[in-house]
């Protein structure tokens, strides 16, 4: 199978950093989820992902596989030419961008649209953080929040929640009265800029958004699995989502479990196999893991996940290299796993080819096609 010819729909990624901002960070910072200086300045250089990536990048840029040579080549090319090279090599058809990550430091969606078709993912917690300081009371805030998402803004292809980072995935029912009390406490005691971490209010707002998503059949992407140190990995297991998945009022809101739910791949695959509204992608796990780790993540997802419910994503951010690395290894490892499935007699060669096309583009096109 030649998967390089299949145009990718990258269904979850982030904006590239402004060049002057990116210049303030070591190159290795883009290759780790940690924000601790000791990791960024020393240990990140010694991951299998970083060492493998230097060779991949150098081969594409035609330079030595050393960070200094790569940085010099990047500087001579400039960000626009560099982005064009990586997007073209990745054979990307479209990307869905969550522009809520470091919003003050990223390039706008319009900049990315110079190179590729872009659709926006609206981050719910960021929206709430913008509206809370502007709202004198909870009723006003809730009206404003709902008016911002119902109907979904033009160009928005999905909602996204980082409840997993802020308070965990054990989402529980919350009454408007409790949410109002928490809102008032936040207004009284919070500092600026506001960072929303209150679990009852986060849970309440996510469920408000799920009602809107169900109304419009709009996908809701949820961070699951590993991430930076802010996250409690114990509460990042998607099995905690049982209440949401069992609630009939949210039944028609497609829920996308991001990042293969690593290391909870089998749990994510199980949920996708039994709940009609659950989908999974394997971004971040690909390309951040070792080659064997990426292969195992995809293999574990496919143990049980219907092949109509698994999607490609890169979770690329900060630098354009990550879009390319995700595409390169996403294709290669998916090919290897499907070829092994043919050997195992799970599927035929023809079925493997159809499954590859579905995972790399058709499933995302189908899930998001009804979104205006």
């Amino acid at each position: 199978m030649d998967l390089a010819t299949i145009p990718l729909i990258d269904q979850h990624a982030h904006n590239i950093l402004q060049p002057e901002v990116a210049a303030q960070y070591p190159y290795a910072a883009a290759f780790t989820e940690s924000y601790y200086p000791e990791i960024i300045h020393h240990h990140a250089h010694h991951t299998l992902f970083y060492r493998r990536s230097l060779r991949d990048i150098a081969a594409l840029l035609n330079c030595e596989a050393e960070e200094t040579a790569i940085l010099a080549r990047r500087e001579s090319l400039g960000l626009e030419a560099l982005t064009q090279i990586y997007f073209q090599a990745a054979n990307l058809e479209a990307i869905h961008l969550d522009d809520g990550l470091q919003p003050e430091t990223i390039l706008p969606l319009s900049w990315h649209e110079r190179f590729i078709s872009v659709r926006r993912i609206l981050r719910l917690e960021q929206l709430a953080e913008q509206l809370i300081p502007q709202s004198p009371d909870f009723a006003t805030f809730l009206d404003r929040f709902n008016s911002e998402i119902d109907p979904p803004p033009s160009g928005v292809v999905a909602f996204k929640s980082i409840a997993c980072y802020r308070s965990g995935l054990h989402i529980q029912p919350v009454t408007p009265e409790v949410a109002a009390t928490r809102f008032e406490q936040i207004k009284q005691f919070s500092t600026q800029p506001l960072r929303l971490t209150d679990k009852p209010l986060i849970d309440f707002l996510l469920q408000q958004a799920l009602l809107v998503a169900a109304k419009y059949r709009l996908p809701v992407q949820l961070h699951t699995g590993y991430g930076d140190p802010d996250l409690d990995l114990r509460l990042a297991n998607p099995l905690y989502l049982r209440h949401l998945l069992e609630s009939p009022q949210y039944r028609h809101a497609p829920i996308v479990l991001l990042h293969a739910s690593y290391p909870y791949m089998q749990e994510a695959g199980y949920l996708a196999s039994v709940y009609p509204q659950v989908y999974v992608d394997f971004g971040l796990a690909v390309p951040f893991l070792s080659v064997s780790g990426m292969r195992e993540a995809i293999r574990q997802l496919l143990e049980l996940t219907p092949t109509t419910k698994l999607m490609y994503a890169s979770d690329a951010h900060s630098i354009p290299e990550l879009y390319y690395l995700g595409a390169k290894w996403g294709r290669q490892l998916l090919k290897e796993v499907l070829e092994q499935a043919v050997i195992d007699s799970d599927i035929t060669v023809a079925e493997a080819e159809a499954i590859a096309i579905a995972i790399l583009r058709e499933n995302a096109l189908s899930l998001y096609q009804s979104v205006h």
Side-chain angles (χ1 to χ4, degrees), residues 18 99-108 123 126 129-130:
Q18 299 166 9
D99 59 356
L101 179 64
Q102 299 179 287
E104 303 85 7
T105 64
I106 56 176
L107 292 164
R123 186 181 288 212
Q126 183 199 18
E129 289 166 349
Q130 292 170 346

Side-chain angles (χ1 to χ4, degrees), residues 272-330:
S273 75
V274 296
Y275 291 104
Q277 72 270 43
V278 175
Y279 297 79
V280 190
D281 83 10
F282 52 79
L284 193 59
V286 176
F288 270 62
L289 302 181
S290 69
V291 172
S292 63
M294 292 187 287
R295 185 185 298 114
E296 187 65 10
I298 296 173
R299 188 195 66 75
Q300 287 192 21
L301 287 172
L302 281 172
E303 285 178 359
L304 201 53
T305 306
T307 58
T308 48
K309 295 177 129 216
L310 182 60
M311 294 179 290
Y312 170 78
S314 66
D315 196 44
H317 58 279
S318 302
I319 61 173
E321 281 87 334
L322 297 177
Y323 293 92
Y324 166 67
L325 295 171
K328 177 183 190 297
W329 289 102

Side-chain angles (χ1 to χ4, degrees), residues 119-120 149 151-158 216 218 368-372:
R119 302 178 84 181
R120 181 178 176 232
I149 64 174
S154 177
V156 167
V157 74
Y216 294 97
L218 188 83
Y368 297 100
Q369 68 180 351
S370 61
V371 179
H372 70 284

